[in-house]
């Protein structure tokens, strides 16, 4: 990310108005991440004037850690996924509290948090949309799996998804655009383990090119994708949707820190006020406003956008903005193997995976389930820090573990609970005087039992695949890779924020399109579903604009 700082004297109490007259657009989009790249692409192609405000900036090639010999060190500093540790110019303070604090994963940049993801590319299961009806879990979505099928298909082609067709647990899926990424000998070991246990497995679908595609080169197996992909084989919003959106006429304004979404006396959104790259206060007016700030940034902006009409925050008559925070029940189980695991060869995001334990089993003492993704091992520095303390025996321990470990990521379903939440932090402010956020998260009893079983099953798999020992990262801090649920979708305006079309119940021309709109979180990486929802929302926005 670009290393810029706020101009001197740019801090604001929010009292002053814009420095000059407003800009005007048909649609204002706030946030340039995975969801809104899809929204902007879809609407700009229809000839609408779409303006996007992004708090961060483009990520230049020389900032990608994997372009440098010290990529692991860079990955722990300016590329660190936690804003509290990274403290970049585009970040705002995030404090994590609760019995199980979340280690929040969040980037402010063109592409959003997808710039550092591992490219897992899952569809939800049909049962994820009706977990309340099926299992008494959480709430039902107001839409069904079938509503997203055509948008999943568009997104798989746009991103260039690699995988295997015919997955028996994924209904309504046509041919996958590209063949699977090679799984290597460690993938073969994982398959042996699954087969010994009689558990279903399938090659991992990934937003990563196994072949040259749409002007982007195939993966060359440099490994550890979350440290950046120098070649462009990793599908990012910045190398898929954004080039086509900009070519279609969309406008993208970076280093634009939005202070509030503005409304008129009738309660309609009129646009936004933001600080530009020089710290000047600007205004945009638009017929439709779309927010995509992720599960933390979106409730932050809604809660900051108070007015006489919306004294508790914009679109918050239900009191649900910021509530029902779901980061998933996540941990890693790491097996040690006598033979090398080729941890540095191939995609980090998985070799094979299993939804064998995804659905509710009446024999369990919990409902819903989890996914296991059998992956390669950790990078050398991360392995050393976890297994080889400084002092006597350091080198021996490091030699024992490096390139002899492989990882199973366990991701479990996480029920929406009001006490798990995101709130404004009026004490810790950003460089412009705007509030930070505080997250509160505590694992439910169901999540604790589900997570414990996920660790047991992953441990069993590791030994079945040939591991001679196993360690786990536990749940002492929750991996905050997936920020979901804090402006959730529903039919009832009293207990949800947006409707089935991602439109705010309280504000007819305001849309929230990102992971915050999830009613429940499923048990997989949500990026693909976030983008499919965004493409669907763009169609609904177009229908409303076309009808005016």
């Amino acid at each position: 990310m670009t290393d810029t700082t706020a101009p001197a004297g740019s801090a604001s109490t929010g009292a002053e108005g814009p420095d000059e007259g407003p800009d005007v657009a048909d649609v204002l989009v706030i946030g340039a991440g995975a969801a809104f790249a899809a929204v902007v692409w879809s609407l700009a192609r229809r000839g609408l004037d779409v303006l996007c405000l992004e708090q961060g900036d483009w990520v230049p090639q020389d900032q990608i850690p994997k372009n440098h010999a010290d990529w692991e060190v860079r990955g722990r500093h300016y590329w660190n996924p936690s804003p509290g540790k990274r403290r970049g110019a585009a970040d705002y303070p995030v404090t994590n509290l609760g019995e199980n604090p979340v280690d929040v994963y969040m980037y402010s940049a063109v592409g959003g948090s997808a710039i550092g993801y591992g490219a897992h590319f899952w569809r939800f299961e049909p049962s994820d949309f009706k977990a309340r009806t099926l299992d008494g879990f959480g709430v039902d979505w107001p839409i069904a799996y079938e509503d997203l099928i055509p948008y999943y298909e568009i997104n798989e082609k746009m991103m260039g998804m690699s995988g295997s067709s015919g997955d028996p647990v994924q209904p309504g899926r046509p041919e996958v655009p590209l063949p699977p990424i090679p799984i290597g000998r460690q993938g073969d070991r994982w398959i042996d383990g699954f087969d010994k246990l009689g558990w279903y497995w399938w090659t991992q679908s990934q937003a990563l090119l196994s072949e040259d595609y749409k002007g982007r080169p195939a993966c060359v197996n440099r490994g550890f994708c979350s440290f950046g992909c120098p070649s462009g084989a990793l599908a990012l919003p910045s190398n898929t949707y954004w080039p086509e959106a900009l070519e279609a006429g969309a406008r993208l304004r970076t280093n634009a820190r939005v202070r509030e979404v503005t409304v008129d006396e009738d309660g309609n959104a009129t646009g936004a006020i933001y600080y530009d790259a020089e710290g000047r206060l600007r205004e945009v007016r638009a017929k439709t406003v779309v927010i995509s700030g992720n599960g933390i940034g979106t409730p932050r902006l809604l809660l900051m956008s108070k007015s006489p009409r919306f004294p508790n925050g914009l679109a918050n008559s239900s009191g649900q903005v910021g509530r029902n925070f779901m980061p998933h029940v996540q941990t890693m189980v790491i097996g040690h193997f006598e033979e090398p695991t080729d941890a540095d060869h191939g995609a980090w995001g998985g070799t094979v995976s299993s939804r064998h334990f995804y659905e509710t089993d009446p024999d369990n003492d919990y409902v819903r389930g989890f996914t296991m993704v059998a992956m390669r091992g950790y990078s050398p520095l991360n392995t050393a820090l976890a297994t080889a303390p400084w002092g006597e025996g350091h080198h021996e321990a490091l030699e024992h573990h490096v390139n002899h470990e492989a990882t199973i990521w366990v991701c479990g379903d996480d029920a929406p609970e009001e006490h798990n939440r995101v709130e404004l932090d009026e004490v810790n402010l950003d460089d412009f005087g705007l509030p930070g956020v505080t997250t509160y998260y505590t694992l439910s009893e169901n999540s604790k039992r589900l997570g414990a079983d996920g660790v047991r099953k992953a441990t069993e798999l590791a030994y079945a695949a040939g591991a001679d020992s196993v360690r786990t990262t536990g749940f002492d801090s929750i991996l905050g890779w997936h920020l979901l649920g804090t402006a959730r979708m529903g039919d009832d305006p009293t207990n949800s924020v947006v409707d089935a079309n991602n439109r705010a119940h309280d504000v007819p021309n305001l849309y929230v399109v990102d992971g915050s709109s999830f009613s429940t979180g499923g048990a997989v990486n949500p990026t693909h579903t976030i983008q499919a929802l965004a493409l669907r929302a763009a169609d609904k926005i177009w229908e409303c604009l076309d009808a005016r």
Side-chain angles (χ1 to χ4, degrees):
M1 276 127 319
T2 52
D3 186 16
T4 58
T5 57
S10 63
S12 166
T13 63
E16 76 273 22
D19 293 344
E20 59 183 46
D23 200 346
V24 178
D26 292 325
V27 180
L28 170 63
V29 176
I30 301 171
F36 277 82
V39 170
V40 173
W41 171 82
S42 181
L43 295 178
R45 291 167 63 242
R46 292 174 161 104
L48 292 176
D49 179 16
V50 184
L51 173 61
C52 180
L53 301 179
E54 166 54 44
Q55 185 159 301
D57 206 340
W58 292 92
V59 178
Q61 279 293 109
D62 64 3
Q63 291 286 295
I64 295 175
K66 286 301 291 293
N67 274 327
H68 302 272
D70 60 345
W71 55 274
E72 286 198 84
V73 175
R74 292 169 182 263
R76 301 184 73 83
H77 293 283
Y78 71 80
W79 196 260
N80 195 304
S82 171
K85 300 171 184 174
R86 183 176 62 244
R87 299 181 183 274
D91 296 321
Y92 50 84
V94 179
T95 302
N96 303 299
L97 302 176
E99 291 184 19
N100 308 99
V102 174
D103 189 7
V104 168
Y105 182 120
M106 187 171 70
Y107 290 96
S108 293
V110 177
S113 298
I115 69 168
Y117 77 145
H120 294 164
F121 223 58
W122 303 83
R123 294 185 182 192
F124 269 27
E125 288 293 303
S127 67
D128 288 322
F129 296 89
K130 49 186 178 179
R132 183 70 184 178
T133 296
L134 294 173
D135 303 312
F137 179 90
V139 296
D140 286 346
W141 289 60
I143 62 174
Y145 172 79
E146 289 73 19
D147 294 315
L148 290 185
I149 287 177
Y151 301 104
Y152 278 132
E153 293 175 3
I154 293 170
N155 199 45
E156 287 161 5
K157 293 174 182 176
M158 281 296 297
M159 297 289 278
M161 188 184 79
S162 298
S164 298
S165 302
D167 187 344
V169 304
Q170 194 68 82
R173 190 169 203 159
E175 291 295 312
V176 175
L178 297 170
I181 297 292
I183 64 174
R185 56 180 172 179
Q186 185 58 42
D188 292 334
R189 291 191 187 107
W190 290 130
I191 290 173
D192 287 343
F194 279 118
D195 287 345
K196 286 178 183 176
L197 296 168
W199 296 348
Y200 148 86
W201 60 268
W202 203 253
T203 52
Q204 176 65 51
S205 295
Q206 299 185 71
L208 187 64
L209 302 185
S210 59
E211 298 177 350
D212 293 353
Y213 185 78
K214 297 181 70 171
R216 292 164 46 215
C219 174
V220 294
N221 293 326
R222 293 182 64 171
F224 308 118
C225 307
S226 60
F227 291 89
C229 178
S231 70
L234 179 66
L236 306 173
S238 57
N239 64 16
T240 55
Y241 282 103
W242 270 115
E244 293 190 23
L246 294 172
E247 185 176 352
R251 294 183 285 157
L252 173 59
R253 196 158 295 163
T254 60
N255 299 301
R257 188 176 301 243
V258 177
R259 188 183 79 181
E260 64 182 287
V261 174
T262 55
V263 295
D264 62 22
E265 59 185 18
D266 296 321
N268 295 301
T270 58
I273 295 173
Y274 72 97
Y275 294 97
D276 68 13
E278 285 73 44
R280 296 171 298 190
L281 208 57
R282 303 290 193 186
E283 183 179 7
V284 177
R285 291 182 183 172
K287 300 173 185 176
T288 299
V289 177
V290 189
I291 300 177
S292 174
N294 71 50
I296 288 180
T298 288
R300 175 180 183 253
L301 179 56
L302 291 172
L303 293 172
M304 288 197 304
S305 301
K306 296 179 181 179
S307 66
R309 182 66 180 261
F310 300 103
N312 297 317
L314 189 59
N316 194 28
S317 66
S318 64
Q320 294 298 300
V321 170
R323 301 286 173 170
N324 309 300
F325 181 40
M326 299 178 292
H328 279 144
V329 183
Q330 299 186 66
T331 191
M332 297 285 194
V333 173
I334 303 162
H336 179 273
F337 295 81
E338 182 179 355
E339 296 296 321
T341 55
D342 293 339
D344 59 337
H345 289 73
W348 160 250
T351 58
V352 294
S353 57
S354 177
R355 291 198 238 198
H356 191 88
F357 302 101
Y358 198 88
E359 307 291 351
T360 294
D361 183 340
D363 291 335
N364 290 333
D365 59 354
Y366 60 88
V367 295
R368 301 303 292 164
F370 54 87
T371 298
M372 291 186 293
V373 181
M375 304 163 63
R376 294 174 169 87
Y378 274 110
S379 58
L381 180 57
N382 282 322
T383 301
L385 291 171
T387 64
W390 293 114
E392 186 177 354
H394 169 79
H395 293 288
E396 182 180 355
L398 185 57
E399 289 294 330
H400 178 74
H401 288 280
V402 165
N403 202 30
H404 286 273
E405 289 189 332
T407 302
I408 303 166
W409 173 53
V410 177
C411 180
D413 216 338
D414 187 14
E417 298 179 295
E418 286 196 19
H419 64 85
N420 290 330
R421 64 197 188 276
V422 175
E423 296 181 349
L424 293 182
D425 181 352
E426 303 285 0
V427 175
N428 296 299
L429 309 179
D430 70 8
D431 291 338
F432 289 78
L434 303 177
V437 299
T438 301
T439 71
Y440 298 86
Y441 184 78
T442 298
L443 285 165
S444 68
E445 289 304 312
N446 188 77
S447 292
K448 290 176 182 177
R449 292 191 289 269
L450 183 155
D453 196 34
V455 170
R456 284 193 294 270
K457 294 297 194 300
T459 299
E460 191 175 353
L461 172 62
Y463 282 122
D468 54 32
S469 65
V470 171
R471 61 185 179 92
T472 181
T473 59
F475 298 99
D476 289 341
S477 62
I478 298 298
L479 299 173
W481 298 347
H482 309 148
L483 310 174
L484 309 173
T486 49
R488 76 176 176 198
M489 177 186 291
D491 288 327
D492 185 350
T494 67
N495 63 18
S496 60
V497 178
V498 300
D499 66 14
N501 297 331
N502 290 85
R503 183 164 67 174
H505 292 300
D506 299 348
V507 187
N509 64 335
L510 175 70
Y511 291 77
V512 172
V513 190
D514 57 24
S516 67
S517 69
F518 278 38
S519 305
T520 53
V524 294
N525 182 297
T527 302
H528 192 7
T529 300
I530 288 172
Q531 291 180 295
L533 277 171
L535 291 168
R536 181 176 181 272
D539 278 357
K540 303 304 180 183
I541 292 169
W542 171 252
E543 290 170 9
C544 286
L545 288 170
D546 194 43
R548 292 183 184 180

